[in-house]
Amino acid sequence: MVRHRSQDAEVIVVGAGPGGSATATLLAAAGHEVLVLDKASFPRHKACSEYLNPGGVRVLGVLGVEAAILAAGPHRMEAMRTVAPGGRSYLADFTKVGSGRVALGLSRHRLDHLLLQRATETGAIVRERSHVRDVLVEDGRVVGVEATIAGTRERLRAPLVVGADGHHSAVTRSLGLDVTVRWPRHTGLVAHYRGVTGLDRHGEMHVAQHGYAGLAPLEDGLTNVAFVTNAAAVSGRDGSLEHFFEQGLAGIPLAAEKLASATRVGNIRGVGHMARRAHTTAGDGYLLVGDAASFLDPFTGDGIYEALRAAELAAPIASAALRAGDTSAAALAPYRAARRRTFTTKRQVCWIVQGFVHAPVLMDYVTERLDHRSALGQTLAGVLGNVRPARQALSPLFLARLLRP
Ligand SMILES: Cc1cc2nc3c(=O)[nH]c(=O)nc-3n(C[C@H](O)[C@H](O)[C@H](O)COP(=O)(O)OP(=O)(O)OC[C@H]3O[C@@H](n4cnc5c(N)ncnc54)[C@H](O)[C@@H]3O)c2cc1C
């Protein structure tokens, strides 16, 4: 599409996390003029457990960035172990799912920078330290954004704006799209450690009464350590965040054992009230991808995958709309439908998993069964890793086999 004098790009992507960079890469590769704006300067850190599931690794190949990411030395995780409150554990072994894929542990400092470099290589223009404050709306449709760039307020126009600006999305806020999600109300705290023992080719999730801990080995001998708990407990704590974090982990003995001789490297980062959702993900002149569209909880490690996969769903629809010169809600509606087909069933599995995480007795029960009933364990590993259709874990037969004594 030819750029009109009245526009700054064909597409403005707000946010250069995985969702924004992947969308920018695919649209630039399709020949579109893409402008990416991010308030940060890259490389930057991001509060995350830094576990990319096998389904997400597949999308790296589609983006043409897998080789660069593997060259950055991510930790290859063949499996994820879930330890229930009573000590039972289940190993979701991705190598047995038949996909030939593994999960990767790579700091977001590196991962996001490589994804953004890929967007630049493909032809997207990236402007860092560009803080989007508002969305420009004319005659009921989005026509651009207003951003502070190098201390100056600028109005930038494009026929399509992609909101990829994460948890505190300015795009969804400006458009009044945020839905209040009342449950789960979790805050996630993460930090890097050195010297964590007992993890080799797998990561671990430890569920306890007061929250859960995640251990994900990364590059260069680092391990990402997460503690996720009730948001009210974090905001109402006595004492420092460091003390709260360390006490939370100390209260999960099987996780604490692995941290006994480890030391924290760098700050604790966190996100409060992680669950969020926008009430629509496409409208006149805009699309939402990644956390700006929705996020439930890090337990199942879906966030980065969903951001990358949403870009894969959005790009062909956005490209066709741009070529037709029609970025109306009707032209972009197939994206909403594609999201429903792709994410809804997995989201239902994630809600069920959340239910187990909040009910220790049930968590002990299903973990023990998954451990002993290996066919079921493999099916669930494939579903959780996003390499098998989520409906396989929701079939009545699967659930009956899982729940029978
Ligand atoms: C504690 C925790 C642990 C997690 N662990 C995992 C995990 O192990 N695996 C996993 O897959 N997912 C995990 N997630 C979820 C994952 O981090 C997100 O789902 C993922 O980062 C979403 O990518 P995104 O591109 O949508 O947004 P982000 O990665 O958040 O990127 C958004 C970008 O937008 C920029 N931005 C924000 N506002 C503006 C603005 N107004 N103007 C310009 N730029 C702006 C930001 O600087 C940022 O670069 C975790 C989340 C939390 C909170």
Side-chain angles (χ1 to χ4, degrees):
M1 186 167 135
V2 180
R3 191 171 108 186
H4 300 288
R5 289 182 72 84
S6 56
Q7 69 189 46
D8 296 280
E10 280 185 87
V11 188
I12 294 175
V13 177
V14 184
S21 289
T23 309
T25 298
L26 295 173
L27 285 175
H32 298 287
E33 197 173 35
V34 183
L35 174 62
V36 183
L37 305 174
D38 198 294
K39 65 181 180 183
S41 174
F42 284 74
R44 55 105 180 88
H45 288 285
K46 154 83 179 81
C48 181
S49 300
E50 303 177 313
Y51 159 85
L52 179 63
N53 73 28
V57 176
R58 180 197 64 76
V59 187
L60 300 181
V62 174
L63 296 171
V65 72
E66 192 174 2
I69 285 173
L70 292 178
H75 195 99
R76 291 165 64 86
M77 278 178 269
E78 291 176 354
M80 182 56 79
R81 181 182 297 285
T82 300
V83 185
R88 303 268 190 189
S89 76
Y90 148 67
L91 190 73
D93 188 340
F94 304 125
T95 62
K96 293 196 177 144
V97 177
S99 67
R101 289 280 182 186
V102 293
L104 298 178
L106 185 65
S107 65
R108 295 291 299 271
H109 196 253
R110 288 201 185 163
L111 176 71
D112 289 18
H113 196 206
L114 288 165
L115 288 169
L116 183 58
Q117 282 172 344
R118 180 69 188 138
T120 310
E121 270 168 32
T122 347
I125 306 295
V126 178
R127 291 173 81 175
E128 300 178 28
R129 294 176 295 277
S130 300
H131 195 151
V132 170
R133 307 288 179 175
D134 212 345
V135 166
L136 303 177
V137 178
E138 287 174 8
D139 299 327
R141 59 166 294 128
V142 173
V143 295
V145 297
E146 192 169 316
T148 309
I149 304 175
T152 308
R153 211 60 167 197
E154 283 191 36
R155 291 177 148 232
L156 299 164
R157 299 175 71 87
L160 181 64
V161 170
V162 176
D165 49 343
H167 186 263
H168 299 288
S169 170
V171 174
T172 60
R173 193 184 57 241
S174 303
L175 293 172
L177 297 177
D178 290 327
V179 173
T180 308
V181 179
R182 300 198 188 283
W183 189 89
R185 291 176 79 80
H186 278 160
T187 287
L189 303 170
V190 297
H192 286 167
Y193 277 69
R194 217 172 263 293
V196 177
T197 54
L199 303 173
D200 179 17
R201 300 223 161 270
H202 71 278
E204 293 190 350
M205 303 298 290
H206 293 258
V207 182
Q209 302 271 358
H210 63 296
Y212 65 84
L215 309 176
L218 309 175
E219 74 272 21
D220 300 338
L222 292 171
T223 300
N224 182 299
V225 178
F227 176 54
V228 175
T229 191
N230 193 296
V234 183
S235 51
R237 72 185 181 275
D238 288 329
S240 70
L241 190 65
E242 284 77 6
H243 184 254
F244 180 86
F245 182 69
E246 281 160 14
Q247 287 303 109
L249 293 167
I252 308 178
L254 293 175
E257 246 173 44
K258 307 213 151 144
L259 295 170
S261 51
T263 45
R264 181 159 58 80
V265 187
N267 297 331
I268 297 169
R269 298 188 170 80
V271 176
H273 297 301
M274 292 179 287
R276 74 178 311 282
R277 182 166 72 81
H279 70 70
T280 186
T281 54
D284 286 314
Y286 72 89
L287 289 173
L288 304 175
V289 299
D291 283 4
S294 75
F295 180 66
L296 179 59
D297 188 86
F299 191 84
T300 50
D302 278 292
I304 307 172
Y305 159 78
E306 273 199 19
L308 297 174
R309 183 79 181 108
E312 209 185 5
L313 299 176
I317 294 160
S319 179
L322 288 164
R323 288 192 200 290
D326 174 10
T327 52
S328 64
L332 299 173
Y335 172 63
R336 292 208 310 268
R339 285 185 65 93
R340 267 196 302 279
R341 279 195 304 277
T342 309
F343 297 135
T344 303
T345 313
K346 176 65 187 288
R347 191 51 68 91
Q348 287 163 355
V349 174
C350 294
W351 278 106
I352 293 174
V353 171
Q354 277 301 309
F356 290 152
V357 168
H358 283 81
V361 175
L362 208 50
M363 187 77 192
D364 284 332
Y365 183 85
V366 293
T367 305
E368 196 260 345
R369 270 143 191 82
L370 283 165
D371 186 33
H372 283 106
R373 297 171 186 172
S374 64
L376 299 182
Q378 277 171 35
T379 300
L380 190 62
V383 169
L384 292 177
N386 287 306
V387 289
R388 279 203 185 175
R391 66 172 183 280
Q392 291 184 0
L394 280 189
S395 78
L397 193 60
F398 177 87
L399 292 170
R401 284 180 175 155
L402 176 63
L403 295 175
R404 82 178 153 77

